[in-house]
């Protein structure tokens, strides 16, 4: 009774869209609330048999399987379900309702509708009765509500690993810091560009972006590592790093773009998303690795002058 009243009171539901057996049953059997247990279940079973077929498949299930079997038409005595079976009670029931469009047409609004509906039912029933809203669409609705946190958490974990690896391999604080900052900028700029390319955050977006963190650091780490092992002034070291590994990084950018070009013509959401993310990442990451990072290192990377040993001849 509380559930029927609650579903009818929800502002999310379209007027007249709530379909729940209890309202109909009480309307046909006004004395249902004052009946003894055996009489109540007997009348409830007769109601379902009379209106929608015995057991009302998909809407109600009895604890006793025998109560799911209908009596022969015109012969109630042929019913297999006994009074003792009826007294075992009902296993579960189901009602239905349709949400209004304004509460289900956008991602976060859908998630808010879902959570508020769950909270309302939990407030009514607590732990005494298992009652919950369900729809096949709720899986995607719930994803919208939690995926941003999941994305940030996964990027943070990946970032921690990158910091450890970069500082451990390059072993120069300034160069390592510039490399890590460059990688972070690549990820942020890629996400910003994808926003203007009509890409929204989803589970697939999260997976691909986490993979792209490894690609983003690849373009910068090679230049930073080569800069660290170069000699001369900061500007000379940056030039030497570009001359040594610049062509390899450029080839990596071009080859990746050519590899994903074929999926750019796909109509599949997964392939289309994969193409857009990788395309933007290659362009932004390549620009950082071949242009921005060398420029920054030439300014703040510091000199590494080679000291030659001078032999002094004995007099």
């Amino acid at each position: 009774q509380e559930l029927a009243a609650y579903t009818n009171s929800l502002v999310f539901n379209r007027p007249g869209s709530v379909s729940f057996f209890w309202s109909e049953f009480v309307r046909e059997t006004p004395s249902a609330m004052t009946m003894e247990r055996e009489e109540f279940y007997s009348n409830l079973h007769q109601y379902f048999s009379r209106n929608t077929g015995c057991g009302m498949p998909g809407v109600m299930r009895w604890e006793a399987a025998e109560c799911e079997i209908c009596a022969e038409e015109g012969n109630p005595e042929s019913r297999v379900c006994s009074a003792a079976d009826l007294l075992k009670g009902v296993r579960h029931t189901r009602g239905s309702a349709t949400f209004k469009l304004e509460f289900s047409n956008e991602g976060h609004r859908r998630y808010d509708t879902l959570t508020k509906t769950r909270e309302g039912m939990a407030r009514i029933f607590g732990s005494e009765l298992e009652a919950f809203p369900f729809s096949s669409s709720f899986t995607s609705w719930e994803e919208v509500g939690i995926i941003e946190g999941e994305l940030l958490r996964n990027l943070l974990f990946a970032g921690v690993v990158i910091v450890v690896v970069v500082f451990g391999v390059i072993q120069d604080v300034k160069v390592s810091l510039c490399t890590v900052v460059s990688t972070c900028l690549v990820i942020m700029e890629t996400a910003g560009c994808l926003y203007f390319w009509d890409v929204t955050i989803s589970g697939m977006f999260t997976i691909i972006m986490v993979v792209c963190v490894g690609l983003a650091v690849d373009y910068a780490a090679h230049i930073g590592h080569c800069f660290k092992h170069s000699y001369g002034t900061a500007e000379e070291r940056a030039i030497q790093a570009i001359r040594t590994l610049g062509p390899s990084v450029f080839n990596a950018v071009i080859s990746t773009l050519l590899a994903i070009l074929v999926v750019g013509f796909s109509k599949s959401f997964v392939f289309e998303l994969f193409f857009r993310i990788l395309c933007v990442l290659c362009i932004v990451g390549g620009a950082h690795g071949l242009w921005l990072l060398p420029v920054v290192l030439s300014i703040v990377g510091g000199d590494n002058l080679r000291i030659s040993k001078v032999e002094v001849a004995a007099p």
Side-chain angles (χ1 to χ4, degrees), residues 4-313:
Y6 173 71
T7 52
N8 280 289
S9 66
L10 282 176
V11 295
F12 311 133
N13 296 332
R14 289 182 182 177
S17 68
V18 178
S19 175
F20 193 58
F21 81 92
W22 181 258
S23 302
E24 294 286 337
F25 174 62
V26 171
R27 191 177 300 116
E28 290 193 16
T29 315
S31 59
M33 296 300 297
T34 59
M35 290 180 178
E36 295 293 332
R37 181 181 177 87
E38 182 176 353
E39 183 182 6
F40 173 82
Y41 282 123
S42 178
N43 279 271
L44 182 61
H45 193 271
Q46 292 175 16
Y47 164 77
F48 283 119
S49 301
R50 180 172 62 253
N51 287 277
T52 56
C54 188
M56 201 171 183
V59 176
M60 181 174 178
R61 283 291 182 268
W62 295 83
E63 287 289 352
E66 293 79 7
C67 296
E68 306 289 337
I69 303 174
C70 294
E72 295 177 5
E73 186 175 358
N75 184 15
E77 298 300 326
S78 65
R79 186 180 67 187
V80 179
C81 182
S82 64
D85 293 330
L86 288 175
L87 286 175
K88 294 179 182 178
V90 176
R91 179 179 302 172
H92 63 251
T93 62
R94 185 189 71 178
S96 63
T98 303
F99 286 137
K100 295 178 182 177
L101 181 60
E102 59 264 32
F103 294 101
S104 59
N105 62 343
E106 295 180 357
H108 284 285
R109 188 169 296 178
R110 291 174 176 176
Y111 182 72
D112 292 340
T113 300
L114 170 60
T115 53
K116 289 178 181 178
T117 305
R118 285 177 173 173
E119 291 170 359
M121 290 191 175
R123 188 167 55 251
I124 293 174
F125 299 104
S127 59
E128 297 179 0
L129 186 64
E130 295 182 359
F132 56 90
F134 174 78
S135 170
S136 58
S137 302
F138 283 177
T139 52
S140 59
W141 289 20
E142 193 156 18
E143 179 190 61
V144 172
I146 66 174
I147 199 62
E148 289 183 3
E150 294 288 326
L151 173 61
L152 293 176
R153 186 188 67 180
N154 293 336
L155 289 178
L156 179 62
F157 288 161
V160 170
V161 174
I162 285 174
V163 170
V164 173
V165 172
V166 168
F167 275 82
V169 171
I170 297 180
Q171 297 180 358
D172 184 293
V173 175
K174 289 190 292 185
V175 178
S176 298
L177 186 60
C178 291
T179 302
V180 170
V181 171
S182 175
T183 303
C184 294
L185 291 176
V186 169
I187 296 300
M188 289 189 292
E189 291 169 17
T190 299
C193 292
L194 291 172
Y195 172 81
F196 293 101
W197 205 352
D198 297 327
V199 175
T200 57
I201 298 177
S202 62
M204 187 57 61
F205 175 86
T206 300
I207 295 172
I208 300 175
M209 281 300 294
V210 172
V211 173
C212 286
V213 173
L215 297 177
V217 72
D218 189 52
Y219 299 130
H222 287 88
I223 298 297
H225 187 267
C226 188
F227 179 89
K228 194 263 182 184
H229 291 281
S230 300
Y231 294 95
T233 64
E235 185 175 345
E236 291 172 344
R237 297 172 72 191
I239 293 174
Q240 185 176 346
I242 289 296
R243 285 178 175 173
T244 303
L245 282 181
S248 298
V249 174
F250 180 78
N251 288 338
V253 173
I254 298 301
S255 62
T256 305
L257 286 173
L258 292 176
I260 64 173
L261 184 63
V262 64
V263 299
F265 301 96
S266 174
K267 300 300 181 181
S268 168
F269 168 76
V270 176
F271 289 128
E272 183 179 350
L273 181 63
F274 182 80
F275 168 76
R276 293 187 180 188
I277 295 176
L278 265 293
C279 180
V280 174
L281 179 77
C282 287
I283 296 173
V284 175
H288 276 257
L290 295 173
W291 174 69
L292 181 61
L293 182 59
V295 171
V296 173
L297 289 176
S298 69
I299 299 173
V300 302
D303 300 337
N304 185 18
L305 301 177
R306 188 191 299 271
I307 300 176
S308 301
K309 294 182 180 180
V310 178
E311 294 184 1
V312 180

